[in-house]
């Protein structure tokens, strides 16, 4: 069993009161939260001819990382990223022509508007997706191919990880919720933070939650810290 680290403290008068532990249930860690690496990512690396496309669409950082496995000079293609976090990583690995959505897949058709409809786009996607924005974009006349480049599965090594009944749980995607509740209950004593409305809507019925101001881990952790400071 993996035990949670000792809880930080806040001062109240002459007493030191423990802060509620914050659990980040995600693929990657973030400073200030106890990371539960609930997901395992498998990169599939299918054969792709990038010369057929005027641009690529990226809805996660994992899709960006996949690009490192291809030798084609993809970074000069137009690049549409779902969020600023994904865009920052795309720029870091070499993308030079980047446009950004509002953090949700449903914003991508709006970003596509004004683009030429005579070229094809490539959506680098996971095996299971949480948004059906592709059909909306196709209805607007855009030709989009889809390449399944990675698969997300539950990390069974986290099944016995100790989670405090007083913890604040940050969920970063519908799949993190699905994997977490396979082995852990969401208790009435827990506080829940969802990184976005798609994630929030995937919570089991009756689970109250707080919504992050933006679809970023930074904003979600900041909100959890605020909740923890309130007791």
């Amino acid at each position: 069993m993996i035990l949670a680290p000792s809880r930080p403290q806040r001062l109240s008068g002459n007493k030191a009161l423990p802060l509620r532990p914050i659990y980040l249930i995600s693929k990657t860690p973030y400073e200030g939260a106890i990371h539960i690496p609930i997901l395992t990512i498998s990169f599939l690396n299918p054969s792709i001819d990038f010369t057929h496309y005027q641009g690529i669409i990226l809805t996660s950082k994992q899709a960006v990382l996949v690009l490192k496995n291809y030798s084609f000079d993809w970074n000069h293609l137009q690049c549409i990223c779902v969020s600023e976090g994904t865009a920052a990583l795309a720029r870091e690995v070499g993308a030079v022509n980047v446009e950004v959505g509002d953090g949700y897949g449903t914003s991508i058709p709006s970003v596509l508007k004004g683009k030429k409809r005579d070229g094809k786009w490539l959506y680098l996607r996971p095996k299971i997706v949480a948004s059906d924005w592709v059909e909306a974009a196709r209805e607007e006349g855009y030709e989009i191919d889809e390449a399944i480049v990675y698969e997300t599965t539950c990390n069974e090594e986290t099944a016995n990880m100790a989670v405090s009944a007083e913890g604040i749980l940050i969920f970063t995607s519908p799949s993190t919720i699905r994997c977490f509740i396979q082995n852990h209950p969401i208790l009435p004593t827990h506080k829940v933070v969802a990184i976005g409305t798609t994630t929030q809507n995937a919570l089991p019925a009756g689970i109250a939650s707080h919504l992050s101001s933006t679809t970023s881990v930074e904003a979600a952790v900041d909100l959890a810290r605020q909740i923890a400071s309130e007791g």
Side-chain angles (χ1 to χ4, degrees):
M1 177 180 293
I2 304 173
L3 297 178
S6 58
R7 295 167 63 177
Q9 294 185 329
R10 60 185 171 89
L11 297 177
S12 177
N14 294 324
K15 295 182 178 180
L17 301 177
L19 289 172
R20 302 181 70 152
I22 297 170
Y23 297 93
L24 177 62
I25 304 163
S26 66
K27 300 185 228 17
T28 54
Y30 191 87
E31 185 178 357
I34 302 164
H35 184 221
I36 300 181
I38 202 76
L39 302 176
T40 297
I41 308 299
S42 300
F43 294 110
L44 305 178
N45 302 324
S47 177
I48 297 174
D49 186 349
F50 288 92
T51 62
H52 291 168
Y53 303 100
Q54 68 169 332
I56 52 179
I57 300 171
L58 305 166
T59 57
S60 70
K61 292 181 180 179
Q62 286 65 44
V64 178
L65 295 175
V66 165
L67 288 168
K68 293 183 176 182
N69 298 324
Y70 293 91
S71 58
F72 177 74
D73 194 16
W74 62 267
N75 53 311
H76 291 290
L77 295 173
Q78 296 180 64
C79 181
I80 294 177
C81 295
V82 70
S83 67
E84 187 53 51
T86 301
L89 182 59
R91 296 185 188 102
E92 184 178 318
V93 300
V96 295
N97 185 357
V98 180
E99 293 188 58
V100 188
D102 66 5
Y104 296 97
T106 51
S107 68
I108 292 176
S110 296
V111 180
L112 279 168
K113 284 185 177 179
K115 306 291 184 187
K116 293 181 179 179
R117 288 176 169 81
D118 56 356
K120 293 174 66 176
W121 292 82
L122 178 63
Y123 171 30
L124 300 178
R125 50 161 282 191
K127 187 173 183 178
I128 298 175
V129 294
S131 173
D132 60 356
W133 64 265
V134 175
E135 288 308 314
R138 286 172 177 155
E139 290 174 1
E140 293 289 332
Y142 294 96
E143 188 174 358
I144 300 174
D145 287 346
E146 301 176 56
I148 299 174
V149 294
Y150 68 95
E151 180 179 10
T152 300
T153 55
C154 300
N155 179 8
E156 295 303 324
E157 293 183 4
T158 63
N160 295 322
M161 186 169 184
V163 178
S164 168
E166 299 299 319
I168 299 172
L169 311 178
I170 302 174
F171 291 105
T172 54
S173 68
S175 56
T176 61
I177 297 171
R178 174 177 56 83
C179 290
F180 182 83
I181 63 178
Q182 284 184 7
N183 297 298
H184 303 278
I186 300 178
L187 302 173
T189 51
H190 284 142
K191 296 290 186 180
V192 175
V193 173
I195 200 171
T197 55
T198 302
T199 300
Q200 188 176 52
N201 292 337
L203 287 165
I207 299 295
S209 63
H210 301 263
L211 184 63
S212 174
S213 60
T214 64
T215 56
S216 71
V217 171
E218 179 181 8
V221 172
D222 285 346
L223 176 56
R225 287 172 177 163
Q226 179 183 337
I227 295 169
S229 70
E230 294 169 354

PDB file of all heavy atoms in Angstrom, residues 170-197:
ATOM      1  N   ILE A 170      -8.931  15.821  -7.236  1.00  0.00           N
ATOM      2  CA  ILE A 170      -8.953  16.557  -8.501  1.00  0.00           C
ATOM      3  C   ILE A 170      -8.997  15.539  -9.638  1.00  0.00           C
ATOM      4  O   ILE A 170      -8.081  14.740  -9.809  1.00  0.00           O
ATOM      5  CB  ILE A 170      -7.710  17.444  -8.679  1.00  0.00           C
ATOM      6  CG1 ILE A 170      -7.579  18.440  -7.528  1.00  0.00           C
ATOM      7  CG2 ILE A 170      -7.761  18.178 -10.016  1.00  0.00           C
ATOM      8  CD1 ILE A 170      -6.293  19.248  -7.579  1.00  0.00           C
ATOM      9  N   PHE A 171     -10.070  15.594 -10.420  1.00  0.00           N
ATOM     10  CA  PHE A 171     -10.194  14.722 -11.590  1.00  0.00           C
ATOM     11  C   PHE A 171      -9.908  15.533 -12.847  1.00  0.00           C
ATOM     12  O   PHE A 171     -10.418  16.645 -13.022  1.00  0.00           O
ATOM     13  CB  PHE A 171     -11.592  14.109 -11.657  1.00  0.00           C
ATOM     14  CG  PHE A 171     -11.862  13.110 -10.563  1.00  0.00           C
ATOM     15  CD1 PHE A 171     -12.684  13.437  -9.493  1.00  0.00           C
ATOM     16  CD2 PHE A 171     -11.289  11.853 -10.595  1.00  0.00           C
ATOM     17  CE1 PHE A 171     -12.928  12.525  -8.481  1.00  0.00           C
ATOM     18  CE2 PHE A 171     -11.517  10.931  -9.585  1.00  0.00           C
ATOM     19  CZ  PHE A 171     -12.345  11.271  -8.519  1.00  0.00           C
ATOM     20  N   THR A 172      -9.087  14.962 -13.738  1.00  0.00           N
ATOM     21  CA  THR A 172      -8.616  15.701 -14.906  1.00  0.00           C
ATOM     22  C   THR A 172      -9.207  15.215 -16.227  1.00  0.00           C
ATOM     23  O   THR A 172      -8.919  15.803 -17.269  1.00  0.00           O
ATOM     24  CB  THR A 172      -7.083  15.628 -14.979  1.00  0.00           C
ATOM     25  OG1 THR A 172      -6.677  14.246 -14.941  1.00  0.00           O
ATOM     26  CG2 THR A 172      -6.450  16.363 -13.805  1.00  0.00           C
ATOM     27  N   SER A 173     -10.017  14.175 -16.191  1.00  0.00           N
ATOM     28  CA  SER A 173     -10.669  13.681 -17.406  1.00  0.00           C
ATOM     29  C   SER A 173     -11.713  12.644 -17.001  1.00  0.00           C
ATOM     30  O   SER A 173     -11.654  12.087 -15.896  1.00  0.00           O
ATOM     31  CB  SER A 173      -9.651  13.019 -18.349  1.00  0.00           C
ATOM     32  OG  SER A 173      -9.158  11.823 -17.767  1.00  0.00           O
ATOM     33  N   PRO A 174     -12.675  12.350 -17.881  1.00  0.00           N
ATOM     34  CA  PRO A 174     -13.635  11.290 -17.573  1.00  0.00           C
ATOM     35  C   PRO A 174     -12.965   9.945 -17.287  1.00  0.00           C
ATOM     36  O   PRO A 174     -13.423   9.186 -16.426  1.00  0.00           O
ATOM     37  CB  PRO A 174     -14.499  11.232 -18.834  1.00  0.00           C
ATOM     38  CG  PRO A 174     -14.464  12.629 -19.366  1.00  0.00           C
ATOM     39  CD  PRO A 174     -13.052  13.095 -19.108  1.00  0.00           C
ATOM     40  N   SER A 175     -11.861   9.648 -17.983  1.00  0.00           N
ATOM     41  CA  SER A 175     -11.199   8.357 -17.767  1.00  0.00           C
ATOM     42  C   SER A 175     -10.565   8.272 -16.382  1.00  0.00           C
ATOM     43  O   SER A 175     -10.485   7.178 -15.804  1.00  0.00           O
ATOM     44  CB  SER A 175     -10.152   8.099 -18.852  1.00  0.00           C
ATOM     45  OG  SER A 175      -9.202   9.147 -18.908  1.00  0.00           O
ATOM     46  N   THR A 176     -10.119   9.396 -15.811  1.00  0.00           N
ATOM     47  CA  THR A 176      -9.564   9.347 -14.458  1.00  0.00           C
ATOM     48  C   THR A 176     -10.660   9.016 -13.440  1.00  0.00           C
ATOM     49  O   THR A 176     -10.412   8.329 -12.460  1.00  0.00           O
ATOM     50  CB  THR A 176      -8.872  10.667 -14.068  1.00  0.00           C
ATOM     51  OG1 THR A 176      -9.814  11.748 -14.087  1.00  0.00           O
ATOM     52  CG2 THR A 176      -7.716  10.977 -14.999  1.00  0.00           C
ATOM     53  N   ILE A 177     -11.857   9.502 -13.695  1.00  0.00           N
ATOM     54  CA  ILE A 177     -12.985   9.165 -12.816  1.00  0.00           C
ATOM     55  C   ILE A 177     -13.294   7.685 -12.930  1.00  0.00           C
ATOM     56  O   ILE A 177     -13.442   6.977 -11.915  1.00  0.00           O
ATOM     57  CB  ILE A 177     -14.225   9.997 -13.192  1.00  0.00           C
ATOM     58  CG1 ILE A 177     -13.955  11.489 -12.973  1.00  0.00           C
ATOM     59  CG2 ILE A 177     -15.444   9.553 -12.378  1.00  0.00           C
ATOM     60  CD1 ILE A 177     -15.047  12.388 -13.527  1.00  0.00           C
ATOM     61  N   ARG A 178     -13.410   7.200 -14.158  1.00  0.00           N
ATOM     62  CA  ARG A 178     -13.756   5.790 -14.380  1.00  0.00           C
ATOM     63  C   ARG A 178     -12.756   4.864 -13.703  1.00  0.00           C
ATOM     64  O   ARG A 178     -13.144   3.887 -13.042  1.00  0.00           O
ATOM     65  CB  ARG A 178     -13.803   5.516 -15.891  1.00  0.00           C
ATOM     66  CG  ARG A 178     -14.001   4.044 -16.258  1.00  0.00           C
ATOM     67  CD  ARG A 178     -14.104   3.882 -17.771  1.00  0.00           C
ATOM     68  NE  ARG A 178     -12.964   4.436 -18.473  1.00  0.00           N
ATOM     69  CZ  ARG A 178     -11.815   3.798 -18.639  1.00  0.00           C
ATOM     70  NH1 ARG A 178     -11.631   2.590 -18.119  1.00  0.00           N
ATOM     71  NH2 ARG A 178     -10.822   4.364 -19.327  1.00  0.00           N
ATOM     72  N   CYS A 179     -11.469   5.163 -13.837  1.00  0.00           N
ATOM     73  CA  CYS A 179     -10.445   4.290 -13.249  1.00  0.00           C
ATOM     74  C   CYS A 179     -10.417   4.413 -11.727  1.00  0.00           C
ATOM     75  O   CYS A 179     -10.225   3.417 -11.026  1.00  0.00           O
ATOM     76  CB  CYS A 179      -9.079   4.626 -13.839  1.00  0.00           C
ATOM     77  SG  CYS A 179      -8.893   4.158 -15.573  1.00  0.00           S
ATOM     78  N   PHE A 180     -10.606   5.612 -11.207  1.00  0.00           N
ATOM     79  CA  PHE A 180     -10.560   5.814  -9.756  1.00  0.00           C
ATOM     80  C   PHE A 180     -11.667   5.034  -9.055  1.00  0.00           C
ATOM     81  O   PHE A 180     -11.421   4.334  -8.066  1.00  0.00           O
ATOM     82  CB  PHE A 180     -10.675   7.299  -9.437  1.00  0.00           C
ATOM     83  CG  PHE A 180     -10.581   7.623  -7.964  1.00  0.00           C
ATOM     84  CD1 PHE A 180      -9.350   7.738  -7.340  1.00  0.00           C
ATOM     85  CD2 PHE A 180     -11.723   7.809  -7.199  1.00  0.00           C
ATOM     86  CE1 PHE A 180      -9.245   8.031  -5.980  1.00  0.00           C
ATOM     87  CE2 PHE A 180     -11.646   8.100  -5.842  1.00  0.00           C
ATOM     88  CZ  PHE A 180     -10.405   8.211  -5.228  1.00  0.00           C
ATOM     89  N   ILE A 181     -12.893   5.138  -9.550  1.00  0.00           N
ATOM     90  CA  ILE A 181     -14.020   4.515  -8.844  1.00  0.00           C
ATOM     91  C   ILE A 181     -14.048   2.996  -8.996  1.00  0.00           C
ATOM     92  O   ILE A 181     -14.837   2.325  -8.332  1.00  0.00           O
ATOM     93  CB  ILE A 181     -15.367   5.131  -9.279  1.00  0.00           C
ATOM     94  CG1 ILE A 181     -15.639   4.874 -10.761  1.00  0.00           C
ATOM     95  CG2 ILE A 181     -15.389   6.615  -8.965  1.00  0.00           C
ATOM     96  CD1 ILE A 181     -16.989   5.433 -11.225  1.00  0.00           C
ATOM     97  N   GLN A 182     -13.176   2.454  -9.817  1.00  0.00           N
ATOM     98  CA  GLN A 182     -13.075   0.993  -9.876  1.00  0.00           C
ATOM     99  C   GLN A 182     -12.544   0.422  -8.563  1.00  0.00           C
ATOM    100  O   GLN A 182     -12.877  -0.707  -8.199  1.00  0.00           O
ATOM    101  CB  GLN A 182     -12.149   0.568 -11.031  1.00  0.00           C
ATOM    102  CG  GLN A 182     -12.782   0.676 -12.398  1.00  0.00           C
ATOM    103  CD  GLN A 182     -11.869   0.165 -13.489  1.00  0.00           C
ATOM    104  OE1 GLN A 182     -10.797  -0.402 -13.228  1.00  0.00           O
ATOM    105  NE2 GLN A 182     -12.257   0.369 -14.740  1.00  0.00           N
ATOM    106  N   ASN A 183     -11.714   1.199  -7.870  1.00  0.00           N
ATOM    107  CA  ASN A 183     -11.071   0.699  -6.652  1.00  0.00           C
ATOM    108  C   ASN A 183     -11.245   1.599  -5.436  1.00  0.00           C
ATOM    109  O   ASN A 183     -10.899   1.194  -4.326  1.00  0.00           O
ATOM    110  CB  ASN A 183      -9.565   0.503  -6.913  1.00  0.00           C
ATOM    111  CG  ASN A 183      -9.281  -0.534  -7.974  1.00  0.00           C
ATOM    112  OD1 ASN A 183      -9.616  -1.701  -7.814  1.00  0.00           O
ATOM    113  ND2 ASN A 183      -8.683  -0.105  -9.077  1.00  0.00           N
ATOM    114  N   HIS A 184     -11.757   2.804  -5.615  1.00  0.00           N
ATOM    115  CA  HIS A 184     -11.892   3.740  -4.504  1.00  0.00           C
ATOM    116  C   HIS A 184     -13.280   4.373  -4.521  1.00  0.00           C
ATOM    117  O   HIS A 184     -13.752   4.793  -5.585  1.00  0.00           O
ATOM    118  CB  HIS A 184     -10.851   4.867  -4.621  1.00  0.00           C
ATOM    119  CG  HIS A 184      -9.438   4.391  -4.684  1.00  0.00           C
ATOM    120  ND1 HIS A 184      -8.714   4.059  -3.556  1.00  0.00           N
ATOM    121  CD2 HIS A 184      -8.616   4.183  -5.740  1.00  0.00           C
ATOM    122  CE1 HIS A 184      -7.496   3.675  -3.922  1.00  0.00           C
ATOM    123  NE2 HIS A 184      -7.415   3.739  -5.241  1.00  0.00           N
ATOM    124  N   PRO A 185     -13.923   4.506  -3.386  1.00  0.00           N
ATOM    125  CA  PRO A 185     -15.188   5.233  -3.339  1.00  0.00           C
ATOM    126  C   PRO A 185     -14.946   6.734  -3.291  1.00  0.00           C
ATOM    127  O   PRO A 185     -13.917   7.191  -2.804  1.00  0.00           O
ATOM    128  CB  PRO A 185     -15.819   4.740  -2.035  1.00  0.00           C
ATOM    129  CG  PRO A 185     -14.631   4.463  -1.147  1.00  0.00           C
ATOM    130  CD  PRO A 185     -13.548   3.937  -2.064  1.00  0.00           C
ATOM    131  N   ILE A 186     -15.886   7.495  -3.817  1.00  0.00           N
ATOM    132  CA  ILE A 186     -15.899   8.940  -3.584  1.00  0.00           C
ATOM    133  C   ILE A 186     -16.853   9.162  -2.420  1.00  0.00           C
ATOM    134  O   ILE A 186     -18.063   8.980  -2.538  1.00  0.00           O
ATOM    135  CB  ILE A 186     -16.363   9.716  -4.827  1.00  0.00           C
ATOM    136  CG1 ILE A 186     -15.413   9.436  -6.013  1.00  0.00           C
ATOM    137  CG2 ILE A 186     -16.395  11.215  -4.537  1.00  0.00           C
ATOM    138  CD1 ILE A 186     -15.833  10.120  -7.306  1.00  0.00           C
ATOM    139  N   LEU A 187     -16.285   9.523  -1.272  1.00  0.00           N
ATOM    140  CA  LEU A 187     -17.039   9.595  -0.025  1.00  0.00           C
ATOM    141  C   LEU A 187     -17.732  10.949   0.138  1.00  0.00           C
ATOM    142  O   LEU A 187     -17.291  11.955  -0.434  1.00  0.00           O
ATOM    143  CB  LEU A 187     -16.101   9.362   1.156  1.00  0.00           C
ATOM    144  CG  LEU A 187     -15.330   8.032   1.160  1.00  0.00           C
ATOM    145  CD1 LEU A 187     -14.318   8.015   2.294  1.00  0.00           C
ATOM    146  CD2 LEU A 187     -16.288   6.856   1.250  1.00  0.00           C
ATOM    147  N   PRO A 188     -18.785  10.990   0.954  1.00  0.00           N
ATOM    148  CA  PRO A 188     -19.436  12.283   1.245  1.00  0.00           C
ATOM    149  C   PRO A 188     -18.490  13.288   1.890  1.00  0.00           C
ATOM    150  O   PRO A 188     -18.705  14.495   1.792  1.00  0.00           O
ATOM    151  CB  PRO A 188     -20.567  11.887   2.203  1.00  0.00           C
ATOM    152  CG  PRO A 188     -20.836  10.452   1.921  1.00  0.00           C
ATOM    153  CD  PRO A 188     -19.513   9.859   1.560  1.00  0.00           C
ATOM    154  N   THR A 189     -17.440  12.787   2.552  1.00  0.00           N
ATOM    155  CA  THR A 189     -16.478  13.676   3.217  1.00  0.00           C
ATOM    156  C   THR A 189     -15.448  14.249   2.248  1.00  0.00           C
ATOM    157  O   THR A 189     -14.716  15.178   2.597  1.00  0.00           O
ATOM    158  CB  THR A 189     -15.746  12.918   4.331  1.00  0.00           C
ATOM    159  OG1 THR A 189     -15.219  11.693   3.793  1.00  0.00           O
ATOM    160  CG2 THR A 189     -16.693  12.620   5.483  1.00  0.00           C
ATOM    161  N   HIS A 190     -15.351  13.691   1.054  1.00  0.00           N
ATOM    162  CA  HIS A 190     -14.409  14.209   0.063  1.00  0.00           C
ATOM    163  C   HIS A 190     -14.919  15.522  -0.536  1.00  0.00           C
ATOM    164  O   HIS A 190     -16.124  15.757  -0.621  1.00  0.00           O
ATOM    165  CB  HIS A 190     -14.220  13.204  -1.079  1.00  0.00           C
ATOM    166  CG  HIS A 190     -13.362  12.042  -0.722  1.00  0.00           C
ATOM    167  ND1 HIS A 190     -13.624  10.756  -1.170  1.00  0.00           N
ATOM    168  CD2 HIS A 190     -12.240  11.945   0.029  1.00  0.00           C
ATOM    169  CE1 HIS A 190     -12.702   9.929  -0.713  1.00  0.00           C
ATOM    170  NE2 HIS A 190     -11.847  10.644   0.021  1.00  0.00           N
ATOM    171  N   LYS A 191     -13.990  16.363  -0.937  1.00  0.00           N
ATOM    172  CA  LYS A 191     -14.283  17.491  -1.799  1.00  0.00           C
ATOM    173  C   LYS A 191     -13.761  17.128  -3.190  1.00  0.00           C
ATOM    174  O   LYS A 191     -12.681  16.551  -3.324  1.00  0.00           O
ATOM    175  CB  LYS A 191     -13.609  18.765  -1.304  1.00  0.00           C
ATOM    176  CG  LYS A 191     -14.088  19.252   0.059  1.00  0.00           C
ATOM    177  CD  LYS A 191     -15.503  19.785  -0.003  1.00  0.00           C
ATOM    178  CE  LYS A 191     -15.904  20.400   1.335  1.00  0.00           C
ATOM    179  NZ  LYS A 191     -17.284  20.935   1.302  1.00  0.00           N
ATOM    180  N   VAL A 192     -14.524  17.473  -4.216  1.00  0.00           N
ATOM    181  CA  VAL A 192     -14.174  17.077  -5.577  1.00  0.00           C
ATOM    182  C   VAL A 192     -14.003  18.313  -6.450  1.00  0.00           C
ATOM    183  O   VAL A 192     -14.841  19.217  -6.441  1.00  0.00           O
ATOM    184  CB  VAL A 192     -15.259  16.156  -6.180  1.00  0.00           C
ATOM    185  CG1 VAL A 192     -14.951  15.844  -7.642  1.00  0.00           C
ATOM    186  CG2 VAL A 192     -15.358  14.862  -5.374  1.00  0.00           C
ATOM    187  N   VAL A 193     -12.904  18.334  -7.203  1.00  0.00           N
ATOM    188  CA  VAL A 193     -12.643  19.390  -8.178  1.00  0.00           C
ATOM    189  C   VAL A 193     -12.565  18.746  -9.554  1.00  0.00           C
ATOM    190  O   VAL A 193     -11.840  17.761  -9.748  1.00  0.00           O
ATOM    191  CB  VAL A 193     -11.333  20.142  -7.871  1.00  0.00           C
ATOM    192  CG1 VAL A 193     -10.986  21.113  -9.000  1.00  0.00           C
ATOM    193  CG2 VAL A 193     -11.436  20.880  -6.542  1.00  0.00           C
ATOM    194  N   ALA A 194     -13.311  19.287 -10.513  1.00  0.00           N
ATOM    195  CA  ALA A 194     -13.263  18.815 -11.896  1.00  0.00           C
ATOM    196  C   ALA A 194     -12.562  19.856 -12.753  1.00  0.00           C
ATOM    197  O   ALA A 194     -12.801  21.060 -12.614  1.00  0.00           O
ATOM    198  CB  ALA A 194     -14.668  18.564 -12.422  1.00  0.00           C
ATOM    199  N   ILE A 195     -11.709  19.402 -13.667  1.00  0.00           N
ATOM    200  CA  ILE A 195     -10.899  20.329 -14.459  1.00  0.00           C
ATOM    201  C   ILE A 195     -11.727  21.036 -15.527  1.00  0.00           C
ATOM    202  O   ILE A 195     -11.333  22.089 -16.025  1.00  0.00           O
ATOM    203  CB  ILE A 195      -9.702  19.588 -15.087  1.00  0.00           C
ATOM    204  CG1 ILE A 195      -8.598  20.570 -15.484  1.00  0.00           C
ATOM    205  CG2 ILE A 195     -10.144  18.747 -16.272  1.00  0.00           C
ATOM    206  CD1 ILE A 195      -7.305  19.911 -15.899  1.00  0.00           C
ATOM    207  N   GLY A 196     -12.875  20.477 -15.898  1.00  0.00           N
ATOM    208  CA  GLY A 196     -13.736  21.089 -16.909  1.00  0.00           C
ATOM    209  C   GLY A 196     -15.116  20.478 -16.877  1.00  0.00           C
ATOM    210  O   GLY A 196     -15.380  19.509 -16.147  1.00  0.00           O
ATOM    211  N   THR A 197     -16.019  21.014 -17.680  1.00  0.00           N
ATOM    212  CA  THR A 197     -17.407  20.541 -17.635  1.00  0.00           C
ATOM    213  C   THR A 197     -17.550  19.124 -18.180  1.00  0.00           C
ATOM    214  O   THR A 197     -18.414  18.370 -17.718  1.00  0.00           O
ATOM    215  CB  THR A 197     -18.323  21.491 -18.427  1.00  0.00           C
ATOM    216  OG1 THR A 197     -17.826  21.641 -19.768  1.00  0.00           O
ATOM    217  CG2 THR A 197     -18.391  22.857 -17.774  1.00  0.00           C
TER     218      THR A 197
END
